[in-house]
Amino acid sequence: MEGKLFLVSTPIGNLEDITLRALDTLKNVDLIAAEDTRHTRQLLAHFDIHSRLESCHAFNEHSKVASLIEFVKNGHSVALVSDAGTPSVADPGFLLVRSALEAGIEPVVIPGVSALTFSVTASGLPVDKFAFWGFAPVKPGKRGKFFAKILADTRTGFFFESPFRIGRTLKELAELSPESKVAVIREATKLHEEILRGSAAELAALKKDWKGEIVVGVHPAETADSGSDDDDER
């Protein structure tokens, strides 16, 4: 019997966003490799799923990959899930996918919700072309370069940010380019979902107690040097 590796998207908030195909896969695999077993166990309990569960996260992914690949090669089925959203999109997954391909295993992608695609659609910004920049850096020097690079691009840029730093982020964007259009997508699909849109300066002026998971979209203001491909590393 041929084993299979499934990459399964899971809800980012509202559990009803899970697909029928995802539920069927999670019910029938031999093993679910989860970023956080405690988090995934709640999802499985909600849908009365009792598949075997093991952890596979950023801190043990390197050591887990070989055993998971061997498990699949021995004819078993594995579903990889992250805490929420789509594996490999700013979550564990790449190493397992790469190893699977090297072993001649073609992963089966079970598509679904993603905080990124939700935000691209909800932002109200031009997204015929866009870029995803992952998580905003924490250190000041790297943050400055990170935001400068986004603002030098002609595409709308999206990145993840912590609620503890979003106020600072909006001020930094406003200092660099006050007229750039910004969307802040907070707690997507959850009870307190909120989408704020305006110029960088307008959103930086907000007085808010930020909470929850946040995605930021930035459409750079038109400037003479928009679209420059110059590398900002010196």
Side-chain angles (χ1 to χ4, degrees):
M1 179 180 176
E2 183 183 1
K4 289 188 178 295
L5 171 64
F6 298 92
L7 309 178
V8 183
S9 295
T10 54
I12 58 176
N14 190 325
L15 295 182
E16 299 305 311
D17 287 336
I18 198 165
T19 68
L20 295 176
R21 189 178 173 204
L23 288 175
D24 184 66
T25 300
L26 294 175
K27 286 177 182 177
N28 290 292
V29 293
D30 297 305
L31 173 67
I32 297 173
E35 183 179 8
D36 186 331
T37 55
R38 295 166 300 179
H39 185 95
T40 301
R41 193 169 282 114
Q42 294 176 3
L43 174 69
L44 300 182
H46 181 82
F47 290 106
D48 195 28
I49 296 173
H50 304 282
S51 300
R52 178 182 156 199
L53 197 60
E54 282 189 9
S55 66
C56 183
H57 47 70
F59 301 103
N60 73 355
E61 191 177 13
H62 284 82
S63 61
K64 283 280 188 175
V65 162
S67 63
L68 291 174
I69 293 299
E70 193 63 27
F71 192 66
V72 175
K73 289 173 69 175
N74 287 335
H76 302 290
S77 55
V78 174
L80 177 70
V81 298
S82 59
D83 284 352
T86 300
S88 295
V89 181
D91 274 328
F94 167 70
L95 291 178
L96 183 57
V97 171
R98 183 178 65 183
S99 296
L101 294 173
E102 290 173 348
I105 300 167
E106 184 66 38
V108 180
V109 179
I110 311 297
V113 70
S114 163
L116 174 60
T117 53
F118 180 102
S119 300
V120 168
T121 303
S123 69
L125 300 171
V127 289
D128 54 322
K129 293 185 291 184
F130 66 89
F132 175 54
W133 297 87
F135 286 90
V138 176
K139 296 182 179 179
K142 290 185 177 180
R143 285 173 66 83
K145 289 184 177 182
F146 179 82
F147 296 136
K149 188 173 285 189
I150 292 174
L151 292 167
D153 201 325
T154 57
R155 301 167 295 177
T156 297
F158 292 87
F159 60 91
F160 295 157
E161 185 55 290
S162 161
F164 305 108
R165 291 188 292 274
I166 182 62
R168 171 182 159 199
T169 292
L170 293 173
K171 290 178 181 177
E172 289 175 288
L173 289 171
E175 289 171 359
L176 291 167
S177 181
E179 297 305 314
S180 287
K181 298 300 182 185
V182 176
V184 176
I185 298 89
R186 188 180 70 85
E187 291 290 85
T189 81
K190 299 176 184 176
L191 180 63
H192 300 293
E193 176 182 306
E194 181 179 39
I195 303 168
L196 302 170
R197 306 177 183 92
S199 69
E202 289 169 340
L203 295 189
L206 294 176
K207 305 296 183 183
K208 281 184 66 68
D209 180 19
W210 296 98
K211 294 179 180 179
E213 297 181 351
I214 294 171
V215 182
V216 181
V218 181
H219 184 64
E222 297 294 334
T223 60
D225 60 350
S226 275
S228 171
D229 292 324
D230 292 344
D231 190 351
D232 60 13
E233 297 294 330
R234 299 183 188 280

